[in-house]
Amino acid sequence: MRPVLGTDEIARLEDIIEKEGTSRAELLELAGEFVAGIVWDMHPSRVLVVNGFGNNGGDGWVAADILQQKGVQVDVVSPVEPDEIPSALARHVARRTAGRDVTVHVGPSRDELIELAREADVVIDGILGTGFHGSLRAPFSIWIPALNESGSRIVSIDVPSGLDSQTGHVVEACVRADVTATMLAPKIGLYSGDGPEYGGELICGELYDDIDEVIGDVDHAAEIVEAVDLIDYFTELPSNVNKYSRGSVLVVAGSAMYPGAAMMAAKAAARAGAGYVTVAAPDACANLIRMALPSVPVIGIPSDSRGCFGAAARSVICEIAEKYDCVLCGPGMTTASGCMKVVTGLLEQDVPLILDADALNCLSRASIDGVDTNPDLYRRESALILTPHYRELSRLVDCDDIADMGAAIDAAQRIVWAAGSDNLVVVAKGPSTAIVGVESVYVPMSGPASLATAGSGDVLAGILAGTVAASHGDVDDWGLLTSYAVAIHSYTGYAAAEAMGSRSVIATDLVDLVGSAMQLVEDEAYREVRQAAEKGE
């Protein structure tokens, strides 16, 4: 796993590295060398480097110097003369580079910049770094849209200029990078908010030889889960397996208005490996689900006048739940009074439980000032996995709308820390999903935009349920197990987009691709193993 740091943590890490004997000046030189290496591998004959006032621009000046010495024709754009750059480190390397054969353009117009960018094979973006937040100022408010308009291939240094490295927010404009060469560790803003849209391919330059020895001395915003980290979950079915030993799932879901949610969740649970899946649904929609899922037993539960779980549903469902390895509750269920009682009843059962969609809204309504103020409501012995998207998470902790992954992590930590259980996980769903436990925050592979479709969350909930059931509770790290399920869901999005086109994917497409996605995750893991072996790691 790779650590992800916030802006303050990066500054503290640089302080530690400096105390260990590597100065910020040396880090700047190493960063410029790293960027130059990435660009050199693109085999350019002409490069444009666009720099700002700070040390991010200093990295760009170093990269320009190195590429020029390698025989590349280099043009550098600067907002001021090299002697006028306010950062002492950046000013030093700018003077050095300008004294050689690079061509320096000070304060070009928008049209001049576009022309320079179009003439270059690669543009290096060194305009703004991790210290940027808020609104753009001239000339950068003009330059950044101009670079995007040029259509040139862009390599951004550390973060794309215009992106808030902490929140991932873009207020006005942001460089749309093809590659982001981020330094020391990835920044959380690259995975949050608008970050995934603008960052392109992320390549991390560790710069410091002993980075693994010092990075643990600062807090990590999260850990990136790579496919190779999930390799323990790639197991073949034993020859003596049966449908019960593969794991059983009870899906408590559906209503007369939303029967399809129960269908997708149940089918996804079976595709994810559960050997026996049962649906408990209001009797108003039970027959419809039976016809759609002939291989899945469906138990009709007494319903109310609107086709939702009725007053008698709690006792019936809780009695059934004890027989299963995992219970998934919530998809398409609504928040009727009978549903509220089902959720609170299941929380009292000794069985791994996943609360999704309307079950989360029921949980929110059961508390007054946020669930974290009443942890006894959800504190339990068996595993509990909550799967809120940002709006559901806002309701759970009774706060303003959550708009970025950093804020989502903070909110999820309020929930898990209040309960203090190491088998409680919050899956904070967003453009990049964060999986938050008491001691860890994991960020598994993100899926494509094609997953942003109604019912996609029901499929994820089913994959989670099938994965949990197959484990039979023998789990060392619930967050990592959950990461495996989220990675599978992400790969279904890529497989579906390739087959149907990203604009045409619907949730039912994802269900039948779960098996293919599991194989893709496995293939990616072993590819990473081979790459590490080739590097001698």
Side-chain angles (χ1 to χ4, degrees):
M1 282 178 276
R2 292 183 292 121
V4 177
L5 303 186
T7 304
D8 291 343
E9 287 71 35
I10 284 290
R12 283 198 285 273
L13 180 60
E14 290 175 345
D15 288 341
I16 292 170
I17 291 173
E18 189 166 34
K19 290 177 182 177
E20 292 292 325
T22 301
S23 68
R24 279 179 164 78
E26 290 175 276
L27 286 177
L28 186 145
E29 297 283 354
L30 291 168
E33 183 179 347
F34 177 69
V35 173
I38 290 174
V39 175
W40 176 252
D41 288 342
M42 296 176 179
H43 308 292
S45 58
R46 185 168 184 176
V47 170
L48 174 67
V49 184
V50 186
N51 292 329
F53 293 108
N55 289 344
N56 196 254
D59 299 342
W61 284 102
V62 173
D65 192 5
I66 293 171
L67 289 168
Q68 182 73 31
Q69 292 181 55
K70 286 177 173 287
V72 179
Q73 182 179 345
V74 178
D75 294 272
V76 178
V77 165
S78 175
V80 294
E81 295 286 351
D83 285 339
E84 299 172 359
I85 293 173
S87 166
L89 287 178
R91 183 169 63 249
H92 168 71
V93 294
R95 286 171 174 169
R96 182 184 70 197
T97 302
R100 295 179 176 163
D101 294 330
V102 301
T103 303
V104 179
H105 306 263
V106 177
S109 68
R110 176 182 177 279
D111 290 343
E112 290 171 336
L113 181 60
I114 290 176
E115 184 62 27
L116 286 168
R118 286 176 174 169
E119 291 174 352
D121 301 304
V122 180
V123 175
I124 296 175
D125 158 34
I127 300 173
L128 300 168
T130 57
F132 168 78
H133 62 276
S135 300
L136 295 170
R137 297 179 298 169
F140 308 138
S141 58
I142 299 170
W143 288 4
I144 289 173
L147 290 181
N148 290 336
E149 185 179 331
S150 73
S152 303
R153 191 174 190 185
I154 299 176
V155 176
S156 287
I157 300 175
D158 228 4
V159 293
S161 293
L163 182 78
D164 187 312
S165 65
Q166 184 65 34
T167 66
H169 291 166
V170 172
V171 176
E172 297 175 43
C174 180
V175 169
R176 195 174 293 276
D178 296 281
V179 176
T180 295
T182 194
M183 306 303 167
L184 297 177
K187 317 305 181 288
I188 190 171
L190 293 168
Y191 300 91
S192 179
D194 302 304
E197 179 179 353
Y198 289 93
E201 179 187 0
L202 303 182
I203 305 176
C204 184
E206 295 182 345
L207 306 186
Y208 180 63
D209 289 340
D210 298 322
I211 188 72
D212 292 338
E213 296 179 12
V214 298
I215 202 165
D217 294 335
V218 299
D219 292 334
H220 297 177
E223 306 279 345
I224 299 297
V225 179
E226 298 172 310
V228 70
D229 299 316
L230 306 172
I231 205 163
D232 289 343
Y233 301 106
F234 311 146
T235 57
E236 296 293 331
L237 292 175
S239 58
N240 63 344
V241 73
N242 61 57
K243 60 186 177 183
Y244 300 109
S245 63
R246 288 184 61 181
S248 58
V249 174
L250 177 65
V251 178
V252 181
S255 61
M257 184 174 291
Y258 305 113
M263 299 175 192
M264 287 185 288
K267 193 172 181 181
R271 291 290 191 199
Y276 195 89
V277 179
T278 300
V279 173
D283 51 20
C285 63
N287 279 336
L288 183 60
I289 298 173
R290 287 189 187 101
M291 289 186 288
L293 300 174
S295 63
V296 174
V298 179
I299 302 172
I301 305 297
S303 59
D304 63 15
S305 60
R306 294 177 295 172
C308 307
F309 287 119
R314 171 179 171 142
S315 60
V316 177
I317 290 173
C318 288
E319 183 178 353
I320 298 169
E322 298 174 353
K323 304 173 184 177
Y324 290 84
D325 294 307
C326 177
V327 175
L328 163 61
C329 178
M333 189 174 71
T334 81
T335 57
S337 60
C339 302
M340 294 276 294
K341 294 176 182 177
V342 167
V343 172
T344 56
L346 286 173
L347 282 166
E348 297 173 1
Q349 304 304 301
D350 186 20
V351 60
L353 176 63
I354 299 168
L355 296 185
D356 180 61
D358 279 328
L360 297 170
N361 295 326
C362 288
L363 186 61
S364 299
R365 293 177 63 181
S367 61
I368 298 174
D369 298 318
V371 297
D372 54 307
T373 66
N374 186 17
D376 288 338
L377 182 65
Y378 59 94
R379 185 185 287 124
R380 59 204 306 271
E381 292 296 326
S382 295
L384 175 62
I385 299 174
L386 310 179
T387 62
H389 55 59
Y390 287 176
R391 280 179 294 175
E392 291 165 340
L393 185 55
S394 297
R395 290 192 285 268
L396 281 170
V397 295
D398 191 28
C399 72
D400 295 333
D401 287 345
I402 292 169
D404 61 79
M405 189 168 69
I409 290 171
D410 290 342
Q413 286 176 330
R414 287 170 55 183
I415 296 172
V416 297
W417 288 346
S421 303
D422 60 7
N423 58 1
L424 170 60
V425 174
V426 176
V427 182
K429 299 184 294 190
S432 292
T433 293
I435 297 173
V436 181
V438 172
E439 296 182 349
S440 62
V441 178
Y442 296 142
V443 179
M445 169 176 279
S446 299
S450 58
L451 288 175
T453 185
S456 176
D458 303 322
V459 177
L460 172 58
I463 295 171
L464 279 166
T467 303
V468 170
S471 75
H472 296 286
D474 183 17
V475 178
D476 293 328
D477 187 335
W478 285 99
L480 201 56
L481 178 77
T482 305
S483 296
Y484 173 59
V486 172
I488 292 170
H489 182 249
S490 295
Y491 273 100
T492 65
Y494 287 109
E498 183 176 352
M500 286 81 175
S502 59
R503 295 179 182 273
S504 300
V505 173
I506 58 176
T508 50
D509 298 329
L510 307 174
V511 177
D512 290 331
L513 292 169
V514 170
S516 299
M518 294 170 78
Q519 186 61 54
L520 288 170
V521 175
E522 185 172 346
D523 291 345
E524 176 66 15
Y526 287 115
R527 185 184 69 81
E528 291 175 3
V529 169
R530 289 193 298 272
Q531 287 180 338
E534 291 169 359
K535 293 178 181 179
E537 297 178 359

